[in-house]
Amino acid sequence: MTQLPITLPASGAYTLANLRLHRSHLDKTGGFAFDSEGFALAYVSISDSAITSIHPATDTTNMPDPIDCRGAIAFPAFVDCHTHIDKGHIWARKPNPDGSFPGALTAVGEDREANWSAHDVERRMEFSLQCAYAHGTKALRTHLDSVPPQEDISWPVFETIRERWKGRIELQAACLFGIDQAQDEAWFNRLADTVARHRGILGAVTYMVPDLDALLDRMFTKAIALELDLDFHADETDDVNAVSLDRIADAALRHGYEGKILVGHCCSLARQPDDKVKATLDKAARAGLSVVSLPMCNMYLQDRRADATTPRWRGVTLLHEMADRGINTCVASDNTRDPFYAYGDLDVLEVYRESTRILHFDHPVGAWPATVAANPAQAMGLADAGILKPGASADLILFRGRSLTELLSRPESRRTLIRAGKLIDATVPDYQDLDDLMEP
């Protein structure tokens, strides 16, 4: 059994010996003896807050104070690129009445109108980030509901939260509204200015409205003018006629857009004819889109049947086919304990574990561990996240598992968190901390 947690020196240089690293988490892989799952034993030397060197376990020259980790798997600190921490943890006061997507929309809308004051949003966002940090997340993007008047409440709160968490979790935010609301150009322009002022990302939920292309043009034109990245919710449905992923790719190519575009969900793609799938994915690859699947939330909502019969499909998008075309693919937490998903804790290891089971991130393992590290970091434009390399901040998560089956068979609640070369003792908050917000 791996002897974790470990003790680290209070200062100076040290080496984590016999760590098991995955090839998708390394910027250089030469000299490592990778096993069939893509893991290799390595030594990671750290001085002060940074990684100074990474060597195969066979090369032990000039390694200061080695600490034997006995084959424990280590990941870079997690990057969670699609969350909704403004919605998080409202389940106790506003559950989804039937587990359906319409039920979630209605419940969240009613709770937002009744309860989402600055105080309420800030408390729940703070609670969510404490959970994410305790599980090992270094960077996180949240969507912020930005329908009137919520945009004037949540964006200033986010600014406060981002400053408070600086140095612990790097935070990004994308506005969220139904794209048909962009028909009101004056309102949309004000929202875009708010997003730009808070250094955010321009985002929307796309639907197959008649003027979808014109509204996408409006969003791309504004993003180019304000130098904003884009983030879309797309095709979160089993309707084969929902093809907004294809329309987003068209718009990106039409505008010659050079910023980053992250598209989430894309569930309907898995139900479309093969020729349509191929054409859409080829176009998405040419447009340089990144795609994030949200497997836990999508399995909760998609194909839920009013007659209480068994769901017939998984609700996730075609990540294997996307990766084969070079599309940057990610998985993320999405909603936590709100009407869109009754469960979750912003634990990216849980996301990766469930993704492996739902999306078959095994046989072979391939580069799928990058979907919770390097790939979302790329989608978010983060240079110092998701990869273990000399010169990068020493932000690692050490697990007791020594193989994929050991790692993913248990919750790994005793994981070891290293941030900037130091151990952190982070504890998830108690649900009772939010009880006063749940009272009628």
Side-chain angles (χ1 to χ4, degrees):
M1 182 67 70
T2 305
Q3 294 180 345
L4 295 178
I6 58 177
T7 300
L8 299 181
S11 61
Y14 63 90
T15 294
L16 299 173
N18 295 313
L19 278 180
R20 205 173 298 274
L21 307 182
H22 195 267
R23 66 186 311 145
S24 69
H25 295 152
L26 298 170
D27 68 329
K28 295 180 181 178
T29 58
F32 290 93
F34 295 103
D35 63 20
S36 60
E37 295 178 340
F39 290 98
L41 284 175
Y43 282 48
V44 178
S45 294
I46 295 167
S47 180
D48 296 324
S49 62
I51 296 172
T52 56
S53 66
I54 301 176
H55 292 282
T58 54
D59 180 5
T60 60
T61 57
N62 299 318
M63 298 294 172
D65 299 327
I67 300 166
D68 190 359
C69 298
R70 301 180 61 186
I73 285 175
F75 272 36
F78 294 129
V79 181
D80 205 349
C81 66
H82 182 122
T83 71
H84 293 264
I85 64 174
D86 62 338
K87 292 183 176 73
H89 301 285
I90 65 172
W91 183 271
R93 71 186 184 206
K94 199 64 175 180
N96 187 321
D98 56 8
S100 69
F101 195 92
L105 284 173
T106 299
V108 166
E110 291 175 352
D111 191 73
R112 182 175 58 237
E113 184 174 345
N115 296 307
W116 289 23
S117 65
H119 174 73
D120 176 78
V121 172
E122 182 173 356
R123 286 275 305 283
R124 291 185 293 100
M125 289 176 72
E126 180 73 20
F127 186 95
S128 295
L129 291 171
Q130 290 175 18
C131 297
Y133 187 65
H135 293 309
T137 291
K138 170 180 178 172
L140 178 146
R141 177 180 292 181
T142 183
H143 297 270
L144 296 179
D145 280 18
S146 297
V147 295
Q150 196 62 44
E151 69 271 39
D152 294 328
I153 299 170
S154 293
W155 279 95
V157 169
F158 171 76
E159 189 73 45
T160 298
I161 290 281
R162 177 167 57 190
E163 185 61 28
R164 182 184 302 154
W165 278 85
K166 186 176 181 180
R168 291 180 291 168
I169 297 180
E170 185 165 349
L171 291 173
Q172 295 181 352
C175 63
L176 189 66
F177 61 93
I179 196 166
D180 54 329
Q181 290 181 274
Q183 293 165 348
D184 184 341
E185 188 171 9
W187 171 82
F188 171 72
N189 288 339
R190 288 195 301 273
L191 175 61
D193 288 342
T194 296
V195 172
R197 188 168 63 252
H198 291 283
R199 296 175 288 123
I201 292 94
L202 194 60
V205 183
T206 56
Y207 305 107
M208 298 308 297
V209 293
D211 54 347
L212 176 58
D213 291 333
L215 295 174
L216 286 171
D217 285 341
R218 180 165 291 173
M219 290 196 67
F220 273 85
T221 298
K222 183 60 69 172
I224 292 169
L226 296 178
E227 298 182 343
L228 299 175
D229 288 339
L230 288 162
D231 191 316
F232 295 100
H233 285 55
D235 306 328
E236 194 176 358
T237 174
D238 62 357
D239 183 358
V240 296
N241 297 309
V243 293
S244 58
L245 173 63
D246 187 76
R247 301 289 187 84
I248 291 166
D250 271 335
L253 294 169
R254 187 164 61 246
H255 287 267
Y257 182 74
E258 296 181 353
K260 293 187 177 298
I261 306 171
L262 180 59
V263 187
H265 299 290
C266 309
C267 305
S268 64
L269 187 71
R271 299 177 64 84
Q272 292 169 5
D274 287 346
D275 58 344
K276 179 61 178 175
V277 168
K278 182 180 184 301
T280 297
L281 293 184
D282 288 346
K283 193 181 300 179
R286 292 197 306 274
L289 305 185
S290 293
V291 175
V292 57
S293 182
L294 300 312
M296 297 190 300
C297 182
N298 287 150
M299 285 199 75
Y300 177 77
L301 290 173
Q302 296 302 310
D303 205 27
R304 189 177 287 273
R305 296 162 177 249
D307 60 359
T309 56
T310 305
R312 307 293 173 86
W313 73 300
R314 298 183 180 214
V316 291
T317 197
L318 305 181
L319 289 194
H320 288 265
E321 293 82 347
M322 292 178 182
D324 285 345
R325 287 167 172 77
I327 296 171
N328 185 45
T329 56
C330 317
V331 292
S333 292
D334 207 8
N335 299 70
T336 48
R337 299 189 65 246
D338 67 36
F340 283 93
Y341 184 54
Y343 316 107
D345 201 34
L346 293 177
D347 181 359
V348 178
L349 179 64
E350 180 192 18
V351 174
Y352 182 70
R353 181 172 61 242
E354 295 309 308
S355 298
T356 299
R357 297 167 179 173
I358 297 165
L359 284 152
H360 290 172
F361 282 178
D362 50 18
H363 309 293
V365 176
W368 294 117
T371 57
V372 294
N375 293 2
Q378 177 184 333
M380 293 172 63
L382 303 176
D384 190 25
I387 288 286
L388 301 174
K389 61 182 179 181
S393 181
D395 301 324
L396 302 90
I397 312 167
L398 278 56
F399 303 103
R400 297 175 68 82
R402 300 161 298 174
S403 65
L404 195 70
T405 183
E406 287 186 0
L407 175 66
L408 301 183
S409 295
R410 291 178 175 171
E412 286 278 359
S413 57
R414 293 178 63 191
R415 65 196 70 169
T416 298
L417 308 178
I418 299 175
R419 296 295 299 275
K422 305 295 183 185
L423 287 174
I424 61 169
D425 183 16
T427 304
V428 291
D430 195 301
Y431 291 129
Q432 294 182 56
D433 295 350
L434 295 178
D435 280 357
D436 62 303
L437 296 181
M438 303 301 121
E439 296 172 356

